[in-house]
Amino acid sequence: MSVEVRWLNCLTSFFYLHCECCLNELLTVMNWKPLTDISQLDQILEESKNQRVMILKHSTRCSISSMALNRLERSWEDDNKVAPYYLDLIKYRPISNAIAEKFGVEHESPQVIVIENGEVAYTASHMGINYSSVVA
């Protein structure tokens, strides 16, 4: 069953990423690495020396955030050499604050931050989030 079919079966969801059951399915489909601890930011910096790393800051309460995540997910290709990290802003807001401080990027939601060789290579928010720029 496709993600879209599962969305249609979910009566609790306005956009298919507003409920926990659909969000868990998406995280499985895209092989996201959940960002749940501030110490992971140092790991991301190290990982970015070998490949691009993308952090997606997503609010599960925001329809624009859900649309941006949906667009990214529909375009995603597993062989793009970008490691995707997912931050649930509702559960882990202090991590978002630490990201803003560590990388010098003002907080927005939704927001994508791409780290390459230890530095921010790309950042965008809302409908400006663009898959081709993430993988460029």
Side-chain angles (χ1 to χ4, degrees), residues 10-23:
C10 181
L11 300 177
T12 63
S13 180
F14 178 71
F15 285 93
Y16 78 90
L17 297 174
H18 268 207
C19 70
E20 201 66 31
C21 63
C22 294
L23 179 58

Side-chain angles (χ1 to χ4, degrees), residues 91-107:
K91 290 183 180 178
Y92 301 104
R93 180 57 195 256
I95 297 174
S96 178
N97 297 339
I99 290 169
E101 184 176 322
K102 187 170 200 79
F103 297 112
V105 177
E106 187 175 337
H107 166 78

Side-chain angles (χ1 to χ4, degrees), residues 73-92:
E73 189 272 335
R74 285 184 289 132
S75 300
W76 196 260
E77 298 175 10
D78 287 332
D79 61 351
N80 62 27
K81 298 182 176 39
V82 176
Y85 283 79
Y86 172 89
L87 175 63
D88 180 337
L89 288 172
I90 305 303
K91 290 183 180 178
Y92 301 104

Side-chain angles (χ1 to χ4, degrees), residues 8-67:
L8 293 172
N9 290 330
C10 181
L11 300 177
T12 63
S13 180
F14 178 71
F15 285 93
Y16 78 90
L17 297 174
H18 268 207
C19 70
E20 201 66 31
C21 63
C22 294
L23 179 58
N24 288 337
E25 289 171 9
L26 175 67
L27 294 179
T28 302
V29 169
M30 284 194 59
N31 296 316
W32 289 98
K33 298 176 184 180
L35 183 48
T36 59
D37 191 277
I38 290 176
S39 67
Q40 288 176 274
L41 298 181
D42 291 329
Q43 296 167 356
I44 286 171
L45 278 176
E46 283 303 309
E47 188 175 355
S48 78
K49 294 175 183 175
N50 299 314
Q51 69 176 12
R52 286 186 139 212
V53 177
M54 177 189 73
I55 300 170
L56 174 68
K57 294 169 31 175
H58 172 65
S59 171
T60 56
R61 295 179 187 161
C62 173
S63 61
I64 293 173
S65 192
S66 294
M67 287 189 296

